[in-house]
Amino acid sequence: EAQEPTTSELPPGTLVMLRGLRSAPELNDEVGMVCGFEVETERYLVQILPDIGLKKLKLENLVVLEVPPGFGYDGGTGCTGGPSSGPA
């Protein structure tokens, strides 16, 4: 019963770092915030901070830095068993 969860999308407000961009290499290592997900192109709408603009980026070009509290996104490394506070 290994089903791929469809809720592994990054929630809006997630802080990400850009990497591996070939079309805009000057944006690599920049930090941005996820604003949404475009299903047709399968790309995330990311606001590059502080005020560089909105870019459409694939998940493979994003490194998750911080997820807003209350979301169970775990980077795709298995299931989250509730709040991730305390010792691992």
Side-chain angles (χ1 to χ4, degrees):
E1 273 192 47
Q3 257 192 321
E4 199 60 37
T6 54
T7 55
S8 61
E9 286 181 15
L10 301 177
T14 301
L15 275 182
V16 293
M17 182 184 284
L18 283 49
R19 67 142 185 232
L21 294 172
R22 291 194 197 91
S23 56
E26 71 277 3
L27 293 178
N28 286 326
D29 297 326
E30 291 289 344
V31 173
M33 182 176 286
V34 174
C35 296
F37 182 73
E38 196 173 76
V39 179
E40 308 87 69
T41 59
E42 294 186 1
R43 280 171 168 74
Y44 286 94
L45 299 171
V46 179
Q47 173 69 46
I48 314 301
L49 303 175
D51 197 21
I52 297 175
L54 202 61
K55 299 285 180 191
K56 294 180 187 178
L57 302 167
K58 289 188 276 189
L59 182 59
E60 64 199 46
N61 294 123
L62 304 176
V63 181
V64 176
L65 299 178
E66 190 179 307
V67 178
F71 285 94
Y73 183 82
D74 59 3
T77 54
C79 297
T80 51
S84 59
S85 57

